[in-house]
Structures are given as C-alpha cells and as structure tokens.
C-alpha cells in the first residue's frame, strides 16, 4: 500500500479537497493500492468547510460528510510514503517535526505554484482551489507512479 498525505493549515478546506479528489481520480483511473489521507498543522478538530463540501458535491466527488479535521502528528508523517503540503512554509514546518526520513514535498514542486487558502473567502475561492486541484491530479498521479505504485 502506498500512502499519500495532504497537509494544509486547518484540514478543513484544501487538504480534504485534495484527499477526496485524488481518491476519486485514482478510482476513475483504476489505480489501486493507494491510500489517501489529509491532516492539518493546526491542533483543532473542526468539520470540513461547507463551501468545500459544496464544491466537491458539484463536481461529483464523494466525501465523508462527517469528516473532522485532524492534526498532523509525527507518526502520520512517518507512515506516509509522500506528504504534499500546500505551501513552502508548511513543508518547512513539517520537516522540522520529522527527520529527513520523511518524504515531505510542497505541491509547488509538482504543480508549479502554492495552493492559496480559501478559508474565510467566498464560494468562488473554493471553486478556484478545485480548478487547481483538477489540474494537479495528473501530475500527482505521475509522481506517485514514478515513486512507488
């Protein structure tokens, strides 16, 4: 099993959107043996943002409607084959938590840009985030195919 982890700040917007979109994409492509999860750098438990749910629903992406954010712990990093962060700052933060043995990459290394946080912004910001996610999925699949699946 190849384990992919997406990490953002609160684990209520970007990382769960990536999690569920990649699960859907992998299923469409017939890719098995990949486990996808998400977490946040903040230490809180909150439900997924309603706009995130609305956007996923609008794009036909199934998700756990009861998903609650979870903090990114060292053990989660160590059991992941690759950890994708939304920003360079999050990448550095996680690298400081975990030894060099953890494979932590900012998404900008894969997709060419950081993923802005739509939190507190309107539905359009979440749609823009999803558009970026959709463009990123083939590049992420290419990366995980080259490194382990």
């Amino acid at each position: 099993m190849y384990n992919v982890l997406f990490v953002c700040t609160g684990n209520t917007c970007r990382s769960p959107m990536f999690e569920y979109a990649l699960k859907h994409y992998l299923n469409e492509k017939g890719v098995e043996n990949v486990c996808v999860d998400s977490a946040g750098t903040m230490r809180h438990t909150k439900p997924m943002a309603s706009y995130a749910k609305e956007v996923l629903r609008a794009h036909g992406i199934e998700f756990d409607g009861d998903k609650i954010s979870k903090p990114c712990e060292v053990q989660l990093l160590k059991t992941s084959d690759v950890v994708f962060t939304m920003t360079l700052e999050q990448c550095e933060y996680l690298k400081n938590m975990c030894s060099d043995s953890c494979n932590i990459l900012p998404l900008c290394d894969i997709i060419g840009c950081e993923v802005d946080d739509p939190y507190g912004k309107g539905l359009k910001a979440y749609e823009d985030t999803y558009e970026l996610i959709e463009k990123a999925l083939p590049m992420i699949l290419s990366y995980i195919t080259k490194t382990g699946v």
Side-chain angles (χ1 to χ4, degrees), residues 79-96:
T79 58
S80 299
D81 293 295
V82 64
V83 178
F84 292 116
T85 65
M86 306 296 130
T87 67
L88 289 166
E89 185 179 339
Q90 291 160 350
C91 182
E92 290 306 312
Y93 175 80
L94 296 181
K95 284 182 176 182
N96 286 332

Side-chain angles (χ1 to χ4, degrees), residues 105-117:
L105 296 171
L107 276 168
C108 61
D109 283 3
I110 305 296
I111 65 174
C113 65
E114 290 191 342
V115 182
D116 292 333
D117 193 352

Side-chain angles (χ1 to χ4, degrees), residues 22-35:
L22 183 59
K23 286 177 179 178
H24 179 84
Y25 187 74
L26 293 172
N27 188 50
E28 281 186 334
K29 298 293 182 188
V31 177
E32 298 176 357
N33 298 322
V34 177
C35 180

Side-chain angles (χ1 to χ4, degrees), residues 18-138:
F18 263 102
E19 173 189 348
Y20 292 116
L22 183 59
K23 286 177 179 178
H24 179 84
Y25 187 74
L26 293 172
N27 188 50
E28 281 186 334
K29 298 293 182 188
V31 177
E32 298 176 357
N33 298 322
V34 177
C35 180
V36 185
D37 200 0
S38 64
T41 58
M42 290 181 70
R43 304 246 176 253
H44 67 86
T45 52
K46 292 188 176 186
M48 187 168 33
S50 58
Y51 283 142
K53 292 177 183 180
E54 187 174 334
V55 168
L56 291 173
R57 204 174 285 117
H59 290 276
I61 307 294
E62 290 184 25
F63 59 91
D64 176 0
D66 296 326
K67 180 168 179 71
I68 300 295
S69 63
K70 66 180 169 191
C72 188
E73 305 287 348
V74 172
Q75 187 59 34
L76 189 56
L77 295 172
K78 288 183 176 184
T79 58
S80 299
D81 293 295
V82 64
V83 178
F84 292 116
T85 65
M86 306 296 130
T87 67
L88 289 166
E89 185 179 339
Q90 291 160 350
C91 182
E92 290 306 312
Y93 175 80
L94 296 181
K95 284 182 176 182
N96 286 332
M97 279 177 61
C98 192
S99 68
D100 288 338
S101 64
C102 296
N103 185 17
I104 304 168
L105 296 171
L107 276 168
C108 61
D109 283 3
I110 305 296
I111 65 174
C113 65
E114 290 191 342
V115 182
D116 292 333
D117 193 352
Y119 182 78
K121 300 173 185 163
L123 181 60
K124 170 119 174 54
Y126 286 80
E127 279 291 349
D128 291 346
T129 300
Y130 186 80
E131 281 182 30
L132 181 59
I133 291 169
E134 229 175 18
K135 291 176 186 170
L137 293 175

